[in-house]
């Protein structure tokens, strides 16, 4: 599954609160391949290679949990992703259907 999502980093490994200055929302083209969520920055092209920075942004979704961010009201269609090493991300989807589709895909790989 691929598509554009807006990401906010909420917690770093071990659940440590992500420091100010690194908590902003950023748009990525997301590619879910196996157990890895690749986050590609910049303009999307089908033939584009993942950059070194894109690989650093990649997230393992092995033993992760995605769920609707019902307590987050500043933006619509936002879901949480909590990873096995207790990072927490917020992702904003373009609509409710896409949000649900990402949650289901992440939780059922
Ligand atoms: C963050 C940015 C986020 C905001 C976050 C800020 O600043 O303004 O949009 O989250 O608030 O810390 P920076 O880009 O300098 O990291 P919200 O959009 O959810 O308000 P937070 O620290 O309360 O999460």
């Amino acid at each position: 599954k691929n598509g554009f999502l807006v990401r906010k980093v909420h917690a770093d490994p071990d659940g440590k609160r992500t420091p100010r200055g690194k908590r902003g929302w950023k748009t990525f083209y997301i590619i879910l391949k196996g157990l890895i969520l690749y986050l590609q920055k910049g303009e999307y092209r089908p033939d584009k290679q993942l950059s070194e920075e894109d690989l650093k942004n990649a997230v393992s979704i092995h033993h992760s949990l995605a769920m609707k961010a019902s307590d987050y009201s500043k933006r619509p269609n936002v879901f949480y992703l909590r990873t096995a090493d207790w990072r927490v991300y917020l992702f904003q989807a373009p609509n409710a259907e896409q949000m649900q589709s990402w949650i289901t895909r992440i939780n059922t790989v």
Side-chain angles (χ1 to χ4, degrees), residues 7 28-30 37-41 54 57-59 91:
R7 182 210 65 183
F28 292 90
Y29 187 77
I30 314 272
L37 212 53
Y38 293 100
L39 286 77
Q40 204 167 47
K41 243 189 168 162
D54 293 335
N57 278 327
V59 178
F91 286 102

Side-chain angles (χ1 to χ4, degrees), residues 13-102:
D14 299 324
K16 290 202 185 85
R17 188 185 162 87
T18 302
R20 288 183 70 184
K22 292 184 175 176
R23 303 179 59 85
W25 289 93
K26 272 187 204 162
T27 301
F28 292 90
Y29 187 77
I30 314 272
I31 303 159
L32 177 58
K33 219 174 172 183
L35 289 167
I36 312 279
L37 212 53
Y38 293 100
L39 286 77
Q40 204 167 47
K41 243 189 168 162
E43 217 175 295
Y44 171 69
R45 289 196 320 270
D47 60 333
K48 198 169 159 185
Q49 298 267 320
L50 290 159
S51 71
E52 196 114 333
E53 203 197 338
D54 293 335
L55 293 172
K56 263 197 288 179
N57 278 327
V59 178
S60 164
I61 58 159
H62 186 53
H63 290 172
S64 73
L65 179 68
M67 67 197 138
K68 183 175 164 47
S70 307
D71 60 345
Y72 187 85
S73 54
K74 291 183 188 175
R75 291 172 177 237
N77 310 317
V78 174
F79 65 95
Y80 289 116
L81 177 65
R82 202 259 303 134
T83 65
D85 62 355
W86 300 97
R87 295 163 203 246
V88 180
Y89 300 97
L90 280 78
F91 286 102
Q92 182 185 23
N95 55 52
E97 292 74 21
Q98 279 301 311
M99 180 192 67
Q100 195 48 57
S101 162
W102 279 105

